[in-house]
Amino acid sequence: MEKVAVGKCDSYDIETLKNFFHDGFREVGFTAVHQKVLLKPNLLSGKSPEQAVTTRPEFVRAISELLLDSSCDVYIGDSPGYESTEKVLLKSGIMKVAKDCGLKILSFNKKITKKYQGISPYREFILGEEPGDFETIINLPKLKTHVMMGLTLGVKNTFGFIHALDKAKWHLRAGTDKMIFASILIDIHNIVKPSITIVDGIIGMDGDGPGSGRVRNMGLVALSKNAFVLDRYIEQLAGIPFPLPITSKAKEHHMVPDCETINVGLPVSFVDDFQMPGTMDTNWNLPDMARKVLKNVFIKKPKLKKGLCKGCGVCTHVCPAGAISINEKAVLFDYKKCIRCYCCHEMCPEEAIRV
């Protein structure tokens, strides 16, 4: 039986976190000594730690110090949505941790072809880094909502192994079918095979995340060697009445075994008014034919918030369907092309796009 270690944690105090990780590792049976280790945080975009968009620097520092005490060779990397890895590390506060701890930085800009026969229709995946180069991969997602997939947790976080410019291609292949995209994310996760996943849910995000939702004090840290059971546990803790697309597809293929939950420290008391994205009300679980017919009527569209757009053009670059253009007066959306992936909302640095 898989194990999930979970506890209430209201602060990013380094020693408190180190004690939690130490005890949690023991409970789930995880060790890393004299190993080459890769830390994979959530580096979605260059936002300050208080905005709850990226994994907190204190989280990275605590785990790094434990690994260095165990004589590990520690690397850190991710591929952000449109900015450089170094820029996001700097804005998120993690660059200082990397320099203080002597972590080696990876930008995930290689072209590593992996042949894999999983559950998606695709058999070839190009990663920005070779997972097999590391004896241990530690997955460090941020607990956030996601306007397309519901939540960003352990399985979704490994999508960062895909280079920024290639992420849009996978969105385009999946189109409006969330279950296809979920199967793609699951295959990528199973190729990466992180050794352990640790969710930073002390300060997280609900509402229309993952880049501009509502910052919440959630007081949660949870870890497991199995990201599928960890994701499902957090969905249930948040009171979501049905499995979200990734968990639903994983359960369909028997990837979500039973688990034992172990309290580390104080029992968790999750927020009682957790808000899912508004897109999930109308864009989840529609039959294929109904989704096609009702797409332009009921499924929420990305729209511009007046007065916030600075015309930077990020939305045009990240839109996989080429559905956005900019003229001298406005940002224009072609809803006939739009596949409702909401990448424009996710990556807008000015939070100028709503759904």
Side-chain angles (χ1 to χ4, degrees):
M1 182 177 290
E2 299 289 347
K3 296 179 179 180
V4 173
V6 60
K8 182 176 177 58
C9 189
D10 292 320
S11 126
Y12 283 103
D13 176 74
I14 302 298
E15 291 305 316
T16 300
L17 288 172
K18 288 170 72 172
N19 289 334
F20 179 93
F21 296 153
H22 178 272
D23 294 345
F25 291 165
R26 182 187 65 246
E27 294 292 352
V28 303
F30 170 79
T31 58
V33 180
H34 293 287
Q35 291 187 349
K36 184 178 180 181
V37 179
L38 172 62
L39 302 181
K40 166 57 183 76
N42 185 314
L43 299 180
L44 175 68
S45 61
K47 300 290 183 70
S48 68
E50 294 76 19
Q51 291 175 281
V53 172
T54 55
T55 307
R56 284 283 290 235
E58 299 93 334
F59 222 72
V60 176
R61 185 180 291 276
I63 187 65
S64 297
E65 290 183 1
L66 284 178
L67 293 168
L68 293 170
D69 288 344
S70 296
S71 302
C72 291
D73 186 18
V74 187
Y75 294 70
I76 187 167
D78 193 10
S79 182
Y82 65 94
E83 299 164 288
S84 69
T85 302
E86 290 75 12
K87 185 175 181 179
V88 177
L89 285 171
L90 185 63
K91 289 185 176 181
S92 67
I94 298 176
M95 181 64 83
K96 185 178 188 309
V97 176
K99 290 181 177 180
D100 289 348
C101 296
L103 309 184
K104 301 173 183 69
I105 296 170
L106 300 174
S107 296
F108 285 30
N109 54 10
K110 298 178 182 177
K111 294 286 185 181
I112 308 296
T113 301
K114 308 294 285 188
K115 304 284 187 179
Y116 184 75
Q117 186 167 346
I119 66 172
S120 77
Y122 306 102
R123 298 294 175 260
E124 184 175 291
F125 300 83
I126 299 177
L127 305 186
E129 193 60 54
E130 172 55 74
D133 286 345
F134 303 91
E135 295 166 277
T136 295
I137 296 176
I138 299 181
N139 191 22
L140 299 172
K142 187 76 172 174
L143 200 169
K144 302 184 294 180
T145 46
H146 192 279
V147 288
M148 182 184 183
M149 302 307 289
L151 289 175
T152 287
L153 294 171
V155 177
K156 176 71 169 59
N157 197 52
T158 50
F159 190 44
F161 269 80
I162 303 296
H163 187 268
L165 298 178
D166 292 332
K167 289 184 175 75
K169 297 176 183 177
W170 286 112
H171 276 290
L172 192 58
R173 288 176 181 178
T176 59
D177 194 326
K178 289 183 178 179
M179 301 313 287
I180 290 291
F181 191 58
S183 70
I184 292 167
L185 295 175
I186 289 169
D187 281 354
I188 292 167
H189 181 82
N190 285 334
I191 292 169
V192 173
K193 290 182 180 178
S195 310
I196 193 165
T197 296
I198 313 172
V199 174
D200 172 10
I202 299 174
I203 297 178
M205 180 184 293
D206 70 358
D208 288 337
S212 56
R214 181 175 62 161
V215 177
R216 302 295 309 277
N217 292 315
M218 298 180 185
L220 169 71
V221 179
L223 60 86
S224 177
K225 293 197 290 186
N226 186 315
F228 294 106
V229 301
L230 182 58
D231 287 4
R232 180 55 180 148
Y233 166 77
I234 292 176
E235 289 176 18
Q236 292 174 321
L237 191 66
I240 300 170
F242 47 79
L244 295 174
I246 293 172
T247 298
S248 178
K249 181 59 70 172
K251 286 172 68 71
E252 179 184 326
H253 292 272
H254 310 290
M255 296 180 188
V256 190
D258 293 335
C259 73
E260 176 188 0
T261 303
I262 303 165
N263 280 318
V264 177
L266 295 174
V268 171
S269 55
F270 201 66
V271 293
D272 58 6
D273 59 344
F274 187 80
Q275 293 182 6
M276 291 296 288
T279 51
M280 301 306 290
D281 296 335
T282 55
N283 202 13
W284 163 248
N285 210 26
L286 289 174
D288 289 344
M289 184 59 67
R291 185 164 57 244
K292 291 176 182 178
V293 172
L294 300 177
K295 171 181 162 184
N296 288 318
V297 179
F298 293 109
I299 296 179
K300 292 182 182 290
K301 307 176 180 70
K303 298 178 182 177
L304 200 65
K305 295 180 183 178
K306 293 182 179 180
L308 295 181
C309 177
K310 294 184 178 179
C312 67
V314 167
C315 55
T316 65
H317 293 300
V318 301
C319 178
I324 304 175
S325 60
I326 298 179
N327 62 23
E328 294 180 357
K329 296 182 179 180
V331 173
L332 304 176
F333 297 92
D334 184 341
Y335 294 122
K336 291 183 179 179
K337 290 183 179 179
C338 177
I339 61 174
R340 310 311 196 260
C341 66
Y342 308 110
C343 289
C344 55
H345 168 270
E346 182 174 345
M347 301 312 306
C348 178
E350 307 301 331
E351 300 183 11
I353 296 176
R354 60 184 176 87
V355 293

